[in-house]
Amino acid sequence: MWDLLTQLYKRFGLWALLGVALVFGAVWWLTDINAQPCEKVSVFFGFIEYNKACNPPPPTPPIDVTTECQELQQLLEQKHGNYDKLKQLVYELQAQVKEGNLDAQTELQKSTKRLKELQNQIHDLAAQQQIKCPGQ
């Protein structure tokens, strides 16, 4: 092997050695890339053999149910607060519509729609809380 490299250097110079090294590295790299984790890798007809490293999946952090339940409770309380404010606004807009305020009519329709959406969100959050936090 050493004689071959010496002859290549004498005939073609440093570029030949760099080319051989590049081809050698490329073949090894392609073989390694195509091998599955934990699989035996054989390069150049068994001249180089090794087992490719196994990549274990990253550990999943434990789920803190208490924190998740607290977050659901806080979100639920926030939605209830928003619901109460929006409900008060709807009452005020209804009073304005009865007085003949036409601008309040469109705002009343929008607010009523938002109120229904918020009510659905509260219902969904309460259901999630019952599933994930049965003791609360």
Side-chain angles (χ1 to χ4, degrees), residues 77-125:
E77 289 171 3
Q78 179 186 11
K79 296 283 184 183
H80 273 294
N82 291 345
Y83 180 82
D84 292 340
K85 290 176 187 174
L86 195 55
K87 195 171 183 178
Q88 183 63 36
L89 177 65
V90 166
Y91 289 144
E92 292 170 6
L93 288 171
Q94 285 174 341
Q96 290 179 11
V97 167
K98 285 181 182 178
E99 292 174 0
N101 186 345
L102 295 177
D103 294 333
Q105 179 66 34
T106 45
E107 189 62 35
L108 177 63
Q109 290 172 345
K110 291 177 186 177
S111 296
T112 306
K113 183 179 177 183
R114 283 194 313 236
L115 192 66
K116 288 178 184 177
E117 290 171 357
L118 198 53
Q119 191 173 17
N120 289 337
Q121 291 173 4
I122 289 171
H123 178 71
D124 292 344
L125 282 173

Side-chain angles (χ1 to χ4, degrees), residues 18-37:
L18 288 174
V20 168
L22 184 65
V23 169
F24 183 82
V27 168
W28 191 342
W29 179 71
L30 286 172
T31 305
D32 187 70
I33 289 291
N34 289 323
Q36 298 295 321

Side-chain angles (χ1 to χ4, degrees), residues 40-60:
K40 185 177 180 180
V41 179
S42 178
V43 185
F44 301 110
F45 306 104
F47 183 69
I48 298 171
E49 287 184 353
Y50 63 95
N51 287 329
K52 187 171 179 178
C54 298
N55 297 329
T60 56

Side-chain angles (χ1 to χ4, degrees), residues 57-69:
T60 56
I63 298 173
D64 186 7
V65 177
T66 307
T67 306
E68 190 173 355
C69 289

